[in-house]
Amino acid sequence: MTLLSTRDEDKRMPQLNRDDWIAAALTVLVEEGIDAVQVTQLSRLLEVTRGSFYWHFKSRDALLEALLAEWRARNTGVMVDALTAAQTLSEGILELFAVWVDHTRFDPRLDQAVRDWSRRADGVLKSVAQEDDNRVRSIAAFFETHGYEPTEAFIRARVIYFTQLSYYSLGVREPLTERAGFLSAYYQCFTGNSLGEGDADAFLARMARNGVST
Amino acid sequence: MTLLSTRDEDKRMPQLNRDDWIAAALTVLVEEGIDAVQVTQLSRLLEVTRGSFYWHFKSRDALLEALLAEWRARNTGVMVDALTAAQTLSEGILELFAVWVDHTRFDPRLDQAVRDWSRRADGVLKSVAQEDDNRVRSIAAFFETHGYEPTEAFIRARVIYFTQLSYYSLGVREPLTERAGFLSAYYQCFTGNSLGEGDADAFLARMARNGVST
DNA sequence: CGGGTTCCATACACCCCTGTATGTATCGCG
DNA sequence: CGCGATACATACAGGGGTGTATGGAACCCG
């Protein structure tokens, strides 16, 4: 709701611009899915008439294109970047975990919404598929640089990424303490190695400092 | 399309019954999602008027309930059954793989469609969540009976199940030969153990005999 | 101050979907 | 034969959504 701050409750904040419509559309996309992103509903939400929308956008499709562009700009490359900086295996994997829990760097709800959308829009599907491919590839490359055979690296990359996707997709919510208890088990399963206690504690401490929400 | 066989091209195959509508609705659900399951569209598909539908069903919601019941009847328990019969670890895990590739036992497209649907219908969400919980629990229990600690068993169950869910959700399609090459890597990652060559070959031979499609 | 630009309101045309009420054809069956 | 029940057709009421055409209010600016 903070996304509508420019207008909102104030009587007559000057005017809406293109980005206001996109911001509103993004929240609706995340909350209720792409089918709920309708000109009429957004107008009601922004408390203007549809006339306004059709001044800023050529059509609903134009808005949807803008949404996809926004997703690309936000969620692309975040995971890849996390890995390229890492020196050791554990550092990289833990940093990946960190990205996935840090919703300021990676927005899982938006990612999920776009993914749902993509299942019934071929154009979107292509974008998402390519992005997924990039992510898995970069994780696999990371494993390879740390001594894993190509096939094993690829499969481990898939397993770790696919697991996380389902984590989001099923909307798993569990308390931080419980999640912390799973850390080394996940690490063991994903890498085949044990996680040093020092590394685990340092990671959990860092998470606690950053105060991750879920 | 074979689902509409009772009526179909023939001039005036006697009449439609409730199951004909459900069958048509299922194909539409799988192909185009729950929003496309509309009385009007189904009528066009079955080449009758909407009057027919409202004779067989009280409302569109009644049809949707029937669809959910159909999903429950088909896809529930299949995975659980696969594990309870297994004697050894590898036997159980490989049987799980077998179920996932055998679309006559487990229908991933229907599962995925219901899952998509569930994300915007709270009642459906509950059913799916409970089913997921059962599946993960039963896999975890299987790991435990083969010597894994409870936490590790649970995480490995999650990882193996979540990975497979994403496999479906992303619609990964790869040739059988390629997939066969991944088998032992998957097994290694999921269980932490190596898969005996004999077991692998036997499994692949069995798959080939059954002639799995994808 | 007057005119152009920006932003939005109003109104209309068009389409699609649900649900209901009612008419109608076919068939089983006593 | 005639009468219910079955299965569907027809027609109407109501609602929601997209676009478009056009009018008007506020504002910038020379």
Side-chain angles (χ1 to χ4, degrees):
Chain A
M1 300 306 136
T2 94
L3 281 170
L4 314 175
S5 55
T6 53
R7 223 165 191 252
D8 231 8
E9 35 224 36
D10 312 287
K11 278 282 131 55
R12 217 110 272 270
M13 283 313 263
Q15 236 91 6
L16 294 178
N17 57 34
R18 215 165 183 276
D19 287 339
D20 294 325
W21 285 97
I22 295 180
L26 277 175
T27 72
V28 173
L29 170 63
V30 167
E31 306 275 347
E32 309 176 53
I34 193 64
D35 289 334
V37 178
Q38 297 169 343
V39 180
T40 304
Q41 286 208 26
L42 294 176
S43 308
R44 273 200 282 269
L45 216 155
L46 294 172
E47 293 179 306
V48 294
T49 61
R50 292 173 21 262
S52 168
F53 176 86
Y54 284 101
W55 193 89
H56 292 288
F57 296 86
K58 185 181 147 252
S59 69
R60 178 172 177 269
D61 277 340
L63 174 65
L64 298 192
E65 266 188 44
L67 290 184
L68 194 58
E70 191 67 24
W71 166 74
R72 242 190 290 264
R74 286 194 194 182
N75 276 13
T76 292
V78 188
M79 296 174 27
V80 182
D81 297 345
L83 291 174
T84 53
Q87 299 296 325
T88 70
L89 177 71
S90 66
E91 190 183 337
I93 298 299
L94 291 179
E95 181 60 21
L96 208 53
F97 290 171
V99 167
W100 284 335
V101 203
D102 180 3
H103 296 352
T104 66
R105 284 196 278 179
F106 179 79
D107 185 345
R109 306 232 298 159
L110 178 58
D111 217 58
Q112 182 62 41
V114 171
R115 218 167 275 281
D116 288 345
W117 174 18
S118 79
R119 228 160 277 132
R120 232 150 298 115
D122 285 345
V124 183
L125 186 62
K126 266 191 186 167
S127 297
V128 173
Q130 190 175 348
E131 176 69 11
D132 283 333
D133 208 52
N134 285 338
R135 294 177 188 175
V136 171
R137 257 194 239 280
S138 78
I139 302 177
F142 176 74
F143 273 117
E144 280 197 55
T145 67
H146 288 277
Y148 291 78
E149 295 296 320
T151 296
E152 184 179 355
F154 175 66
I155 292 306
R156 286 194 182 278
R158 247 197 194 167
V159 169
I160 190 172
Y161 180 61
F162 279 18
T163 298
Q164 185 58 34
L165 277 191
S166 288
Y167 221 87
Y168 290 142
S169 154
L170 299 194
V172 180
R173 300 252 180 284
E174 44 199 10
L176 251 170
T177 60
E178 197 177 353
R179 208 156 182 171
F182 295 155
L183 177 63
S184 49
Y186 274 126
Y187 187 89
Q188 164 75 37
C189 184
F190 288 147
T191 68
N193 299 331
S194 306
L195 182 63
E197 273 194 31
D199 292 334
D201 292 344
F203 176 76
L204 292 173
R206 184 155 72 96
M207 288 299 97
R209 269 203 310 283
N210 294 3
V212 284
S213 52
T214 167
Chain B
M1 300 308 137
T2 93
L3 281 170
L4 313 176
S5 54
T6 54
R7 217 164 199 254
D8 232 7
E9 35 225 34
D10 311 288
K11 278 281 130 59
R12 216 112 272 273
M13 282 315 261
Q15 236 94 5
L16 295 178
N17 58 35
R18 215 165 183 276
D19 286 339
D20 293 326
W21 285 98
I22 294 181
L26 276 175
T27 72
V28 172
L29 170 64
V30 166
E31 305 278 346
E32 309 176 52
I34 192 65
D35 289 335
V37 178
Q38 296 168 345
V39 180
T40 304
Q41 287 207 25
L42 294 177
S43 307
R44 272 199 285 268
L45 216 153
L46 294 173
E47 293 179 304
V48 294
T49 62
R50 292 176 18 267
S52 168
F53 175 87
Y54 285 101
W55 193 89
H56 292 286
F57 295 86
K58 186 182 145 247
S59 68
R60 177 173 177 268
D61 277 341
L63 173 64
L64 299 193
E65 264 187 46
L67 290 184
L68 194 59
E70 192 66 25
W71 165 74
R72 241 190 290 264
R74 286 195 196 181
N75 277 14
T76 292
V78 188
M79 295 174 29
V80 181
D81 298 345
L83 292 173
T84 52
Q87 299 296 324
T88 71
L89 177 70
S90 66
E91 189 183 339
I93 299 298
L94 291 180
E95 182 59 23
L96 208 53
F97 289 170
V99 167
W100 284 334
V101 202
D102 179 3
H103 296 353
T104 66
R105 283 195 280 178
F106 180 80
D107 185 345
R109 305 232 300 159
L110 178 58
D111 217 58
Q112 182 62 42
V114 172
R115 223 168 271 282
D116 288 345
W117 175 16
S118 79
R119 228 160 276 131
R120 234 150 296 114
D122 285 345
V124 183
L125 185 62
K126 266 190 186 169
S127 297
V128 173
Q130 188 175 349
E131 177 69 12
D132 284 333
D133 208 52
N134 285 338
R135 294 177 187 175
V136 171
R137 257 193 237 281
S138 78
I139 303 177
F142 176 74
F143 272 118
E144 280 197 55
T145 66
H146 288 277
Y148 291 77
E149 295 295 318
T151 296
E152 184 178 355
F154 175 66
I155 293 305
R156 286 195 182 278
R158 245 198 198 167
V159 168
I160 191 172
Y161 180 61
F162 280 18
T163 298
Q164 184 59 33
L165 276 192
S166 288
Y167 220 86
Y168 290 143
S169 153
L170 300 193
V172 179
R173 301 253 180 284
E174 43 198 13
L176 251 171
T177 60
E178 197 177 354
R179 207 156 183 170
F182 294 155
L183 176 64
S184 49
Y186 274 127
Y187 187 88
Q188 164 75 37
C189 185
F190 288 148
T191 67
N193 299 330
S194 305
L195 181 63
E197 273 193 31
D199 293 333
D201 291 343
F203 175 77
L204 292 173
R206 184 156 71 96
M207 289 299 97
R209 267 202 312 280
N210 294 3
V212 285
S213 51
T214 167

